[in-house]
Amino acid sequence: MLIVYPDYYEDFSCTAGDCEDTCCAGWEIVIDPKSLKKYHESKTLKRRLLRDIQWRKGTFRQCRDGRCAFLREDGLCDLYRKLGADSLCRTCRTYPRHTEEFENVREITLSISCPQVARILMERSEPVRFLEKETCREENYEDFDYFLFSCLTDARVVMIRILQNRELAIDERLLLVLGIAHDLEVRYRRGRLGETDEVLARAESSHALKKVREQLEHRRGESEKRYALAKQHFYRLCELERLRDAWDQVLIETQMILYVQGPEPYDALHAEFAAWAAANAPNLNVQLEQLAVYFISTYFPGAVYDGRIYGKADTAVGYVAQLYDLFVARWLKNEKQLDTEDVIELVYRYSREIEHSDPNLEEMESYRWWTIGGS
């Protein structure tokens, strides 16, 4: 079995009580059957365990603000403190590590919903690399389309190479990635995946870049359409399942700043922010790159299970675009200042609302973020 993980994986260390937030609040913590059995048989903290576990649901009881019943005021876990690290359930042991499972492949990521992971990624300047190691384990999945999976992972390699090409503008890189996904899905639907190599070779050609620049130039003249689409997606974001009530404040601020005055002020604000960022936040494009690589690397291969090749890439780019709008709104709220701490906060809070809710993930992927042409 092949294990794939990002090169910053070993850089992560939980900051526990020093964390600016907590992973023990805002969502239900599901207890795996083995841990549930261990808690039921425990002689230590027996009355507390019986009271503070919802046994039928297999979750820890939540107190005020959605805090786990075992979360202390100092941000530490009572189970960990009194029963040791071995007492933690699988969810608490593994978070923020996340694993995507494919036949004979495990892809492990660190979720940016964790403030410390968001910090590692947003403060990183060098391009992310992905490391591999093998184990002796083998497995077989019924009906797993390994050829499609190979095409997707080959495409992802090229996508990430394009996203990390800093000689290109970030919007050019994102549109080139969408072009790959579009053309690959067209061939998948027509039973022509054997042409994948041609698609990938053309994606890095001067012709593809020229076409993308023409599309971007055309879109610059579609101010009302661009604003309407961004506003539509933002209001859909507001309708998603809410994991934390405090997220409402971010949404309200963004709505009042970006989406109440119309397309011309929206465009003017974005232009002013872009000019400010070019002079004062040269690392912003690197941060956008890291986010795009994160979302593409995490979700794109999942198209092997549902065939949504373009949808996976389209949503990944949509996440980056939506985070960019959140950055613009925060910049104006902060009297035209935006620092790395603002970026980290918005990244991990956005991720928590989207990536830790299956209904929210599914809803976001059902949107059509961008409409492009291809071959």
Side-chain angles (χ1 to χ4, degrees):
M1 179 177 292
L2 187 67
I3 311 296
V4 183
Y5 56 99
D7 60 356
Y8 57 86
Y9 183 82
E10 300 295 342
D11 295 341
F12 171 75
S13 178
C14 179
T15 56
D18 293 330
C19 184
E20 59 254 53
D21 208 315
T22 176
C23 54
C24 305
W27 47 54
E28 285 191 322
I29 299 173
V30 177
I31 307 169
D32 58 282
K34 183 178 178 181
S35 296
L36 204 60
K37 182 175 184 292
K38 181 168 59 178
Y39 296 150
H40 190 267
E41 296 173 350
S42 175
K43 303 300 182 184
T44 308
L45 294 181
K46 187 170 184 63
R47 292 183 62 184
R48 178 94 181 272
L49 286 164
L50 289 173
R51 184 188 70 216
D52 289 337
I53 290 177
Q54 297 176 300
W55 294 93
R56 288 187 179 181
K57 294 178 68 176
T59 61
F60 290 111
R61 185 173 63 84
Q62 291 180 299
C63 302
R64 59 181 175 80
D65 300 325
R67 292 168 64 90
C68 173
F70 289 93
L71 179 62
R72 297 158 35 127
E73 289 299 323
D74 61 5
L76 300 177
C77 172
D78 244 0
L79 279 179
Y80 186 96
R81 296 275 294 188
K82 295 178 179 178
L83 299 179
D86 291 342
S87 69
L88 298 180
C89 68
R90 183 185 302 131
T91 300
C92 296
R93 285 197 311 272
T94 59
Y95 180 82
R97 300 159 191 87
H98 171 76
T99 303
E100 293 287 338
E101 299 184 355
F102 307 100
E103 183 178 270
N104 284 322
V105 177
R106 293 293 182 271
E107 298 198 343
I108 305 173
T109 58
L110 292 172
S111 175
I112 55 173
S113 62
C114 167
Q116 182 62 9
V117 176
R119 182 174 302 281
I120 290 170
L121 199 56
M122 293 298 94
E123 291 182 345
R124 178 189 176 107
S125 59
E126 63 272 20
V128 172
R129 298 288 178 255
F130 293 88
L131 309 178
E132 299 178 352
K133 63 181 179 181
E134 291 186 353
T135 69
C136 296
R137 180 181 172 187
E138 291 186 11
E139 64 186 1
N140 288 302
Y141 283 15
E142 288 187 13
D143 301 322
F144 186 81
D145 191 339
Y146 205 86
F147 181 56
L148 172 58
F149 181 68
S150 297
C151 292
L152 292 170
T153 52
D154 288 347
R156 183 177 59 176
V157 169
V158 176
M159 288 176 166
I160 291 175
R161 185 161 65 234
I162 289 172
L163 289 172
Q164 295 177 336
N165 181 359
R166 296 177 184 177
E167 294 182 2
L168 303 179
I170 189 67
D171 54 355
E172 293 172 347
R173 296 182 244 172
L174 294 172
L175 210 57
L176 284 167
V177 163
L178 289 180
I180 293 174
H182 174 275
D183 292 354
L184 197 60
E185 179 158 320
V186 167
R187 281 152 181 79
Y188 170 67
R189 299 297 177 193
R190 296 174 180 174
R192 291 163 48 190
L193 275 177
E195 299 174 11
T196 297
D197 287 346
E198 298 171 27
V199 170
L200 300 183
R202 187 165 57 249
E204 296 183 279
S205 68
S206 58
H207 174 75
L209 181 58
K210 179 183 177 182
K211 187 174 181 181
V212 158
R213 287 173 173 167
E214 289 172 352
Q215 290 174 335
L216 288 169
E217 186 62 33
H218 177 71
R219 288 183 181 184
R220 291 187 183 100
E222 297 183 318
S223 176
E224 291 189 11
K225 182 178 179 180
R226 188 171 59 253
Y227 167 77
L229 194 60
K231 184 177 181 179
Q232 178 186 36
H233 287 145
F234 177 77
Y235 279 99
R236 284 177 169 174
L237 175 67
C238 296
E239 294 170 357
L240 297 180
E241 175 188 17
R242 193 78 77 250
L243 273 67
R244 291 199 177 185
D245 292 339
W247 182 238
D248 283 334
Q249 186 61 36
V250 175
L251 297 178
I252 291 169
E253 291 170 356
T254 304
Q255 176 186 349
M256 297 305 296
I257 290 171
L258 292 184
Y259 299 113
V260 295
Q261 299 185 59
E264 290 186 9
Y266 177 85
D267 276 358
L269 188 57
H270 273 69
E272 188 180 357
F273 175 74
W276 173 88
N280 301 282
N283 61 331
L284 181 62
N285 280 341
V286 175
Q287 291 168 335
L288 295 171
E289 170 196 309
Q290 307 288 32
L291 289 168
V293 169
Y294 169 83
F295 288 123
I296 285 290
S297 64
T298 301
Y299 295 109
F300 185 68
V304 71
Y305 293 118
D306 57 22
R308 299 178 186 173
I309 298 173
Y310 182 77
K312 294 287 190 290
D314 185 43
T315 307
V317 172
Y319 291 153
V320 176
Q322 212 158 54
L323 276 164
Y324 186 84
D325 267 12
L326 294 177
F327 298 160
V328 174
R330 177 62 62 88
W331 169 76
L332 192 61
K333 179 195 173 189
N334 288 353
E335 299 180 348
K336 300 184 179 180
Q337 294 295 322
L338 185 79
D339 61 24
T340 300
E341 293 302 318
D342 291 309
V343 170
I344 291 168
E345 179 207 332
L346 290 169
V347 165
Y348 83 73
R349 293 182 69 181
Y350 180 86
S351 171
R352 286 191 174 193
E353 295 297 322
I354 303 301
E355 294 193 272
H356 291 274
S357 167
D358 288 339
N360 287 353
L361 281 169
E362 185 65 26
E363 183 68 15
M364 294 291 268
E365 195 174 312
S366 72
Y367 303 164
R368 187 73 171 197
W369 295 85
W370 302 82
T371 301
I372 69 169
S375 61

